[in-house]
Amino acid sequence: MRKQRTISEIVKVSGIGVHTGKKVDVVIEPAPENTGIVFHRTDKNVFIKANQVNVVDTTLSTTLGINGIYVKTVEHLLSSLYALNIDNCIIKIDNEEVPILDGSSASWVYLLKSASFVEQKHYKKVLIVTKPVKIKDSGKFVALLPCRKFKISYSISFDGTFINKQKYELEINEQSFIKEISKARTFCFLRDIEYMQQNNLALGGSLDNAVVVDDYGIANEDPLRYENEFVRHKILDAIGDLSILNYDIKTHYIAYKSGHNLNYRLVSSLLEDKKSYVIIGSPKQETQILENLGYLSPVVG
């Protein structure tokens, strides 16, 4: 187990929301231990904690909300915070959507690492998956399996397109996230942009913040950052969606053609089944629980 962390300096950034197209200013401030990740809509003076209860929409992104006040497209920032082991901070935001920046987590990682980190007194609690939780729906599949580590195996399939089939697997930690995942950008198909904009989505999207796929390849002048950038971005999104558990996670997450909605349903299914996981709050408790369960020997991974 590790101690909780916050940032040591304030982080400031401005940008536009990829779906709303609205300009937004963000200020990330340090917070005391056990605060968690809390969004403060400063224009409404409403605080919204990043947790499963406050997820109100999963259409093309993850939206948190309370009483009709929202913070949209939180997954890239939450993914970065989780991977960098930043557990406590207040995110002040003066509009309804987190800025998309370049469509990846790279800018968030740079800004947060530049602020540096402060180790706090209390331990970060760990959630260990102890039995499989699975969902199948319309040819899609997602699961959480017992594992000693946090590992992700992800497969996508866009037959007949430039993307085609891609898969990627890795253990998630700060170093692997920064090197292998953080620079992967969000993506969309050129044919879908008009439909999304007619439905008030992707109003702030551009070739500067997304990889746009057409019939021949990508419309962007800049090349792909990874050969399989598309599946790596899906992993980035999944980390953000799972991070709202607010624990360090020990599980093998497996997904085929998953997305924000299926991730939300998976986390909900996990939390509803109290026998599918254990929560560990201290190193002593960790040893006791693992010995009592006989957990380490049969675990996968």
Side-chain angles (χ1 to χ4, degrees), residues 2-110:
R2 63 176 181 83
K3 296 292 185 71
Q4 293 180 33
R5 294 207 300 188
T6 187
I7 52 176
S8 62
E9 300 175 3
I10 291 174
V11 171
K12 297 181 179 181
V13 67
S14 298
I16 62 168
V18 68
H19 291 303
T20 63
K22 296 178 180 178
K23 183 180 181 299
V24 58
D25 295 318
V26 176
V27 178
I28 307 176
E29 297 182 345
E33 55 195 7
N34 298 320
T35 299
I37 308 301
V38 180
F39 289 89
H40 179 199
R41 277 285 304 271
T42 55
D43 56 322
K44 304 291 186 179
N45 196 29
V46 171
F47 292 84
I48 306 171
K49 190 162 186 175
N51 60 33
Q52 186 75 353
V53 173
N54 291 333
V55 176
V56 295
D57 190 36
T58 52
T59 304
L60 297 181
S61 65
T62 296
T63 297
L64 303 173
I66 293 178
N67 298 326
I69 307 299
Y70 307 114
V71 179
K72 302 177 179 179
T73 318
V74 298
E75 58 271 13
H76 299 174
L77 175 52
L78 292 183
S79 187
S80 305
L81 292 167
Y82 180 88
L84 297 177
N85 296 324
I86 301 172
D87 310 295
N88 305 301
C89 64
I90 305 296
I91 303 167
K92 295 184 175 181
I93 180 169
D94 66 355
N95 215 316
E96 63 185 285
E97 187 176 19
V98 174
I100 191 63
L101 303 181
D102 76 340
S104 75
S105 282
S107 296
W108 292 117
V109 167
Y110 173 79

Side-chain angles (χ1 to χ4, degrees), residues 179-217:
K179 182 179 179 181
E180 308 293 346
I181 300 298
S182 68
K183 297 187 291 293
R185 294 162 292 176
T186 192
F187 62 93
C188 67
F189 290 95
L190 182 63
R191 62 175 181 257
D192 295 334
I193 291 177
E194 183 178 357
Y195 171 81
M196 288 191 291
Q197 292 182 342
Q198 288 175 349
N199 288 273
N200 293 317
L201 296 168
L203 299 179
S206 73
L207 295 177
D208 294 326
N209 55 39
V211 179
V212 178
V213 181
D214 59 23
D215 293 335
Y216 307 101

Side-chain angles (χ1 to χ4, degrees), residues 132-173:
V133 179
K134 304 177 182 180
I135 297 177
K136 294 181 180 180
D137 188 1
S138 303
K140 302 176 181 180
F141 174 79
V142 66
L144 297 172
L145 303 181
C147 186
R148 294 184 179 94
K149 309 166 184 178
F150 181 25
K151 185 165 67 174
I152 291 182
S153 301
Y154 211 118
S155 299
I156 60 175
S157 178
F158 294 91
D159 290 338
T161 74
F162 173 75
I163 298 174
N164 201 10
K165 294 179 172 65
Q166 295 186 359
K167 61 182 179 180
Y168 196 59
E169 177 178 293
L170 80 166
E171 178 185 344
I172 304 300
N173 54 50

Side-chain angles (χ1 to χ4, degrees), residues 58 133-143 254-266 269:
T58 52
V133 179
K134 304 177 182 180
I135 297 177
K136 294 181 180 180
D137 188 1
S138 303
K140 302 176 181 180
F141 174 79
V142 66
I254 300 175
Y256 175 66
K257 298 173 68 173
S258 182
H260 299 295
N261 182 259
L262 212 54
N263 292 336
Y264 168 77
R265 290 167 55 191
L266 181 68
S269 295

